[in-house]
Amino acid sequence: MKTLLSLFCLVTYLTCALSANGWPVSLDMACNKALSAVACSFEFTNNANEDLYLLKRNTPLEGLRSQFVSVSLDGHPLQYEGIIMYSLPPTKDEFVLLKAGESISASVQITDAFSIDTDGLYTVQYSRPLQYLSVNEMSAMSLDQLRESVVRKSVHIHLEDTSLLLKPKEEGDAEIEYTVHLEACGSATFKNGDVNNSQTLDAHKRLCSGCGKAKDGVGNNNVYRTWFGAYTSSRANTVKGVYQDIRDDITSKNCIYYNNGPLCRSNSYAYTYMTGTTVYLCTIYYRDPTYCSKTGESKEGTLLHEWSHPYGQRDDVVYGRSNCKNLAKSKPDDAVRNADTYLYYYCDLQ
């Protein structure tokens, strides 16, 4: 195995000093209870013989803005209740230079994203690959050549008096501006002013019928295979179920749209919480056309993407049309759990 990994490094022009887990970037982590929170620290080390640029997105280096750890109690997984941020492809300022042999560390409070309220033995497992570029690739900004360093690291921590721990909460309280009740499609509430609210409402109105079209279009056809990969009845039923769940929840729940969310960044479309009923809209979202496009982004598509998180329990695996198509070809199971895939399939059927 070690010989094969060395060959991989040579072929990809990366001379590696292999870490214990066999990859150029390794991770050490530890978790401790401190007062009313559980904090975990993460240290990333460059084990290669050359400098690397490590992507901070989807890691603790950017804070708790995505699910990069899973938590379980006695083998039973806990629901992630944290933020899921939908952003443009990464730019240079989202990378950190990690020189050969150097380490960088960060810590987060996992109680900000997981409800820990039962005493017992918890397992915290890092659940995302680390992405990086060589110095030459960064100079050329070859973001489509992002490499991945697989991480399989977990720690166990026995917790007592968990009733004293803080619980996750959403940010951004604001007064309700107004609520619109829609025939056969629930209601939409707007908070924090009026920023193209009428366009957001127009996009929202289409989601109920649009999810129905997307569900009815699932089958062994070119559009399905483009976005979800090789057809199987099991995966197809999952896809149908996701669109049905999104439609059901949009119809039955009061969907809240919060303008200029407090955690928005300059490259963010929107974000939501995995257990919430609010979509926080950001600057880029307002620039897009209202209705679905088969070539670009749209408000309707972004809203579908966002509601697929809390209502469809979908994750962010990859972003963008090209990456989603490649994911369908190589990893159809991952395509079925990827939020952006549901966006593009949905828009192709409208």
Side-chain angles (χ1 to χ4, degrees):
M1 174 62 87
K2 198 165 185 177
T3 300
L4 290 174
L5 288 168
S6 299
L7 180 59
F8 164 82
C9 294
L10 179 61
V11 169
T12 58
Y13 303 102
L14 180 64
T15 303
C16 300
L18 296 176
S19 64
N21 64 14
W23 297 93
V25 183
S26 63
L27 166 68
D28 284 320
M29 57 184 286
C31 297
N32 296 282
K33 181 182 176 184
L35 299 176
S36 58
V38 176
C40 293
S41 60
F42 305 84
E43 183 177 73
F44 304 94
T45 301
N46 178 5
N47 297 288
N49 290 331
E50 67 170 314
D51 300 345
L52 299 173
Y53 279 92
L54 180 64
L55 181 62
K56 294 182 288 185
R57 184 183 291 187
N58 297 327
T59 78
L61 298 174
E62 68 163 2
L64 198 50
R65 290 174 174 262
S66 61
Q67 184 177 3
F68 47 79
V69 294
S70 58
V71 179
S72 59
L73 170 61
D74 297 327
H76 301 288
L78 273 61
Q79 170 73 54
Y80 175 72
E81 301 176 43
I83 189 175
I84 299 286
M85 183 75 71
Y86 181 32
S87 303
L88 285 170
T91 53
K92 188 172 183 177
D93 61 352
E94 290 188 72
F95 291 80
V96 59
L97 177 61
L98 202 55
K99 294 186 176 181
E102 276 192 350
S103 299
I104 188 171
S105 61
S107 62
V108 298
Q109 293 185 172
I110 62 170
T111 38
D112 288 343
F114 296 91
S115 291
I116 298 177
D117 50 19
T118 302
D119 293 2
L121 181 64
Y122 287 80
T123 300
V124 182
Q125 182 169 359
Y126 204 89
S127 55
R128 279 189 180 270
L130 304 176
Q131 296 183 302
Y132 60 93
L133 292 170
S134 69
V135 173
N136 288 338
E137 289 163 344
M138 176 57 78
S139 297
M141 283 302 290
S142 303
L143 297 181
D144 58 339
Q145 297 182 19
L146 272 171
R147 307 190 191 283
E148 291 190 347
S149 191
V150 176
V151 172
R152 292 183 176 90
K153 189 74 174 181
S154 61
V155 297
H156 302 287
I157 179 172
H158 189 273
L159 297 174
E160 298 179 349
D161 299 325
T162 51
S163 61
L164 303 177
L165 293 173
L166 295 173
K167 300 297 183 285
K169 63 178 181 179
E170 287 195 27
E171 300 292 334
D173 290 336
E175 291 185 6
I176 294 174
E177 302 293 332
Y178 59 90
T179 298
V180 179
H181 299 281
L182 305 170
E183 184 178 355
C185 198
S187 59
T189 291
F190 291 88
K191 290 186 176 184
N192 205 32
D194 186 343
V195 187
N196 297 333
N197 286 0
S198 62
Q199 294 178 24
T200 297
L201 184 61
D202 287 343
H204 175 89
K205 289 177 183 177
R206 291 169 61 107
L207 294 179
C208 289
S209 60
C211 284
K213 290 180 183 178
K215 177 188 173 184
D216 292 343
V218 173
N220 192 5
N221 53 61
N222 287 335
V223 180
Y224 176 92
R225 290 190 298 270
T226 295
W227 298 113
F228 294 106
Y231 179 88
T232 68
S233 59
S234 176
R235 285 196 287 262
N237 286 335
T238 297
V239 173
K240 289 181 181 180
V242 169
Y243 284 117
Q244 185 64 53
D245 288 343
I246 295 172
R247 188 189 188 285
D248 288 347
D249 281 353
I250 287 175
T251 301
S252 63
K253 297 179 179 179
N254 179 28
C255 299
I256 301 171
Y257 294 106
Y258 189 115
N259 288 308
N260 295 313
L263 298 181
C264 285
R265 299 178 296 193
S266 61
N267 64 346
S268 302
Y269 283 99
Y271 65 91
T272 189
Y273 289 79
M274 283 297 283
T275 56
T277 57
T278 300
V279 168
Y280 299 83
L281 305 173
C282 303
T283 302
I284 301 172
Y285 164 85
Y286 301 116
R287 303 173 187 169
D288 286 337
T290 301
Y291 300 125
C292 267
S293 165
K294 294 186 179 181
T295 57
E297 307 303 328
S298 65
K299 292 182 175 68
E300 183 180 0
T302 294
L303 298 188
L304 188 282
H305 174 115
E306 290 304 307
W307 291 126
S308 77
H309 290 309
Y311 296 164
Q313 290 299 294
R314 297 301 92 183
D315 197 3
D316 283 336
V317 183
V318 299
Y319 298 105
R321 289 178 178 272
S322 177
N323 288 334
C324 286
K325 288 180 179 180
N326 291 335
L327 186 67
K329 292 177 182 178
S330 60
K331 298 178 179 178
D333 285 336
D334 283 349
V336 169
R337 67 182 183 88
N338 183 48
D340 237 17
T341 298
Y342 285 83
L343 181 169
Y344 296 125
Y345 174 84
Y346 170 97
C347 283
D348 273 8
L349 290 185
Q350 301 311 305

